[in-house]
Amino acid sequence: MDNTKGYEIWSYPEKMTFTIYLFHVENPDDVLLGERPRLIERGPYVYEIIVEKEILSVNEIRDEITFNIKKTYYYNDEESGELSENDEVVIINMAYLGAINTVT
């Protein structure tokens, strides 16, 4: 099975790009006091993702492969511009906000 063209294509690691934009809350203390948040969009934060398949077992009789997916993220400094992976970003916890609004 491992010497077929299909297996070779399937088992080859995939490279993908993940781009994310975040909304930073500039006035978190004021938001805690009930004021509206002042949001600033930050981004793009760009990551390269390598997706690999880790073969656990091969069953030639059933023509079956058992495997795990391994994803490795690499921060792309060049594509992210002046942004850093270590930037401090304050975001709104929507689940918490929803729970508070349900209780009150």
Side-chain angles (χ1 to χ4, degrees):
M1 182 183 310
D2 60 345
N3 58 359
T4 64
K5 186 69 172 171
Y7 178 81
E8 181 183 325
I9 292 169
W10 175 83
S11 64
Y12 194 79
E14 299 174 55
K15 182 179 178 185
M16 296 185 276
T17 301
F18 175 69
T19 303
I20 186 167
Y21 290 80
L22 302 169
F23 288 96
H24 171 71
V25 178
E26 277 206 318
N27 60 335
D29 295 331
D30 296 334
V31 172
L32 291 174
L33 297 173
E35 290 190 31
R36 300 187 100 189
R38 284 192 315 270
L39 303 175
I40 294 187
E41 183 179 287
R42 289 201 183 163
Y45 292 91
V46 182
Y47 290 83
E48 302 301 328
I49 307 171
I50 305 298
V51 181
E52 300 173 278
K53 296 174 185 83
E54 177 187 6
I55 307 299
L56 302 176
S57 66
V58 176
N59 185 326
E60 296 282 350
I61 296 168
R62 297 179 73 179
D63 197 28
E64 186 176 89
I65 299 173
T66 304
F67 64 96
N68 284 333
I69 298 280
K70 176 186 170 191
K71 294 181 184 177
T72 308
Y73 293 76
Y74 298 96
Y75 188 70
N76 186 323
D77 286 315
E78 187 175 312
E79 293 293 321
S80 298
E82 295 179 9
L83 301 170
S84 167
E85 185 175 31
N86 299 313
D87 287 348
E88 185 173 307
V89 180
V90 178
I91 60 172
I92 296 174
N93 184 333
M94 296 305 287
Y96 177 75
L97 187 60
I100 293 297
N101 286 331
T102 301
V103 173
T104 59

